[in-house]
Amino acid sequence: MRRFLPICAIAVALVGGVACSHTSGPGSSAKPTAFGAALVESSGGKQTGGVGAALAQPVVVQVNDDQGNAVPNALVAMRGPAGVVFDPAAGLSDSSGQFTTNVTLGFSPARYQLSATTATKANKAVELKIEEIGLGYQQTLGSQLNDQYCSRCHNSESTPERVSNYDNLEVKPHPFTEGDTLNKMSDADLTSIISFGGPALNKSPLMPPYGYTLTKAQTQALISYIRMVSDPPYGVPGVVHVEK
Ligand code: HEC
């Protein structure tokens, strides 16, 4: 412990009062010159990423005044469950009122509730909750199988690598995030339709059977993935909250 003290002291001397904590970025020492009344999510929420890994997109939040106009130079601070790292963890909103941070998720497969806060002129905290999804090993495998076999029909959007077949289908499949439909199906139902195709549940034969293509473990991985990404959440999801 004693060996760390001088390093800490040097760091403080160099950047001027930054606390020696891995969650505090350089921005946390910045002094706000403006205050907002509201925080809104610009982008980066509801991402799906591997546990312990950085999310593909940064999280961007915007500070607004009570008229809905962007407020530059307001302080924004991020907090998350144990294990989540923000880079930076706090800082001032830029000229368009936005604060951008890169997020690395913790190590449990779960829905991660993150929180961004800013203070009003009256020093009242305004909080915005943001959710991200951390996929464990099995769900990551399911996500890859989905890309390989399912998303060309179950995702209506095309990407440069994959042209969606969705528009050609007479009966429309649901995106796996559509919890209102998928949460009503039991694990046994999902296993049946994936293994034997649509007709197994009196549905369209446009849903092909995968019983010969996928192993039991792969089907299980797909179900685990589908359960994790569903919105609203399936059953009692593993949610990890901001540390108090
Ligand atoms: C060729 C297109 C196509 C592919 C590829 C495909 N599906 Fe489907 N899927 C459908 C269609 C069409 C339906 C809707 C059937 C109905 O409602 O009658 C469907 C329905 C389903 C349903 C029931 C819920 C819903 O969306 O209505 C599940 C679960 C499902 N598919 C899982 C999968 C999985 C897992 C894969 C990949 C292993 C996959 N599907 C690949 C076309 C496809």
Side-chain angles (χ1 to χ4, degrees):
M1 189 64 223
R2 222 201 270 155
R3 290 186 52 203
F4 288 112
L5 282 173
I7 300 169
C8 212
I10 292 163
V12 170
L14 281 179
V15 279
V18 173
C20 280
S21 154
H22 68 285
T23 51
S24 299
S28 57
S29 62
K31 278 240 156 30
T33 55
F35 299 89
L39 261 183
V40 291
E41 186 181 317
S42 300
S43 63
K46 289 259 156 77
Q47 290 185 71
T48 303
V51 293
L55 291 173
Q57 309 293 325
V59 168
V60 184
V61 299
Q62 183 170 323
V63 185
N64 285 339
D65 64 16
D66 48 14
Q67 312 289 317
N69 300 314
V71 178
N73 295 316
L75 185 62
V76 176
M78 302 297 304
R79 284 187 308 140
V84 175
V85 178
F86 298 99
D87 181 22
L92 298 183
S93 51
D94 65 12
S95 56
S96 37
Q98 296 188 329
F99 171 73
T100 301
T101 183
N102 294 301
V103 181
T104 300
L105 295 180
F107 287 94
S108 28
R111 286 167 179 258
Y112 282 80
Q113 308 243 301
L114 313 180
S115 139
T117 36
T118 191
T120 65
K121 200 155 198 165
N123 205 19
K124 208 175 139 250
V126 179
E127 187 182 28
L128 170 70
K129 288 224 155 64
I130 297 163
E131 192 176 270
E132 310 290 2
I133 299 176
L135 302 181
Y137 176 77
Q138 191 188 29
Q139 295 133 3
T140 300
L141 186 64
S143 162
Q144 289 160 353
L145 292 165
N146 171 42
D147 288 345
Q148 195 175 346
Y149 296 109
C150 323
S151 63
R152 67 191 167 96
C153 290
H154 280 266
N155 187 338
S156 58
E157 278 164 42
S158 294
T159 63
E161 299 81 39
R162 172 183 55 76
V163 178
S164 178
N165 187 32
Y166 183 88
D167 290 338
N168 303 327
L169 296 170
E170 248 167 74
V171 183
K172 300 298 181 200
H174 296 84
F176 295 142
T177 46
E178 224 162 86
D180 286 332
T181 300
L182 285 144
N183 291 350
K184 291 193 191 113
M185 300 180 72
S186 64
D187 284 8
D189 283 348
L190 292 180
T191 306
S192 292
I193 196 167
I194 297 170
S195 305
F196 306 114
L201 297 184
N202 287 321
K203 287 175 182 266
S204 166
L206 291 171
M207 166 60 202
Y210 287 92
Y212 292 108
T213 314
L214 301 173
T215 63
K216 279 207 173 104
Q218 287 175 318
T219 303
Q220 205 42 59
L222 271 163
I223 294 173
S224 176
Y225 167 74
I226 290 169
R227 296 311 196 195
M228 187 62 114
V229 297
S230 81
D231 183 19
Y234 175 74
V236 186
V239 180
V240 286
H241 295 277
V242 174
E243 267 188 323
K244 284 273 139 56

